[in-house]
Amino acid sequence: WSPGSDSGALHAERDQWFDHVEKVGGSIIDLAAKAQFGGDIMAAQDHLGRLYNIKPHCTAKPRARVVKEYVYTDAAGAPVHKTVRMDPKDFIQYRYLPGTDEWKPGLADITPVLYRLPDWATRPWVCVVEGEKDADTLTEWGIPATSNAMGAGNWRESYNAAFAGKSVVIFPDNDDPGRMHAELVAWNIRDIAKAVKVVCLPDLPPKGDVTD
């Protein structure tokens, strides 16, 4: 589990360990996590608890994992920021640092752009949905689509200019925040777009979206 090291370099005691080659160490649970469970502390704790019949004083939170990354680019295709979906469900925003190939948490110091911008920037029409997943769904069906970072209630005035002269169809999610977001977008682009329609899809489940 530790390339470049060997058993002679590892010092272990009842409650701690240290690798003198890698210059790393930690608790015995941490050691089990690294050696057998790919770094998953919760899985190591559960394993050792069952092995030695020890119950923890508290329950560890499930380890978050990345489910998907949605990269936002400018019209030329250069990355600007991204949304990372986690499991358990959470969304984390990162901004791109040009010239470094690095990402930093948060959207400070940048102007966010709309999703899949190169796919529809020169098209005469586009659909607006609440999330990246739905924009991907429509794009796979050959329908130009976009969304904004962080979903409902996070529309920015800087997005409006991208819809100049376009026909725009807005598909709201089937809940109050979704409908309010659709009306917000429609209001913002009403004098910029060529035409705007809000289309409430029939037979959606509660909180359902265009992918449903």
Side-chain angles (χ1 to χ4, degrees), residues 3-4 22 38 52 67 82 95 97 108-109 113 116 121 140 155 167:
E22 295 292 321
Y52 295 108
V67 175
K82 68 180 178 180
R95 64 188 183 277
L97 302 181
D109 304 322
V113 296
R116 305 195 71 108
E140 289 171 5
W155 191 260
S167 296

Side-chain angles (χ1 to χ4, degrees), residues 49-71:
R50 289 192 300 270
L51 188 64
Y52 295 108
N53 194 28
I54 300 172
K55 293 183 179 181
H57 292 292
C58 60
T59 301
K61 292 182 178 180
R63 185 185 184 196
R65 65 182 183 89
V66 174
V67 175
K68 192 165 185 177
E69 295 187 357
Y70 302 99
V71 178

Side-chain angles (χ1 to χ4, degrees), residues 116-133:
R116 305 195 71 108
L117 188 57
D119 295 338
W120 57 271
T122 59
R123 299 284 293 269
W125 66 283
V126 66
C127 296
V128 177
V129 291
E130 190 175 316
E132 297 94 350
K133 175 194 70 175

Side-chain angles (χ1 to χ4, degrees), residues 94-176:
Y94 290 88
R95 64 188 183 277
Y96 184 72
L97 302 181
T100 67
D101 201 29
E102 294 181 2
W103 298 86
K104 291 194 70 174
L107 300 181
D109 304 322
I110 68 165
T111 300
V113 296
L114 290 162
Y115 189 49
R116 305 195 71 108
L117 188 57
D119 295 338
W120 57 271
T122 59
R123 299 284 293 269
W125 66 283
V126 66
C127 296
V128 177
V129 291
E130 190 175 316
E132 297 94 350
K133 175 194 70 175
D134 296 323
D136 286 349
T137 296
L138 291 180
T139 301
E140 289 171 5
W141 296 342
I143 301 171
T146 188
S147 63
N148 60 279
M150 298 181 288
N154 288 289
W155 191 260
R156 295 174 181 244
E157 187 177 352
S158 59
Y159 297 147
N160 297 342
F163 299 98
K166 297 185 186 298
S167 296
V168 182
V169 178
I170 304 170
F171 290 113
D173 283 7
N174 189 27
D175 55 20
D176 288 340

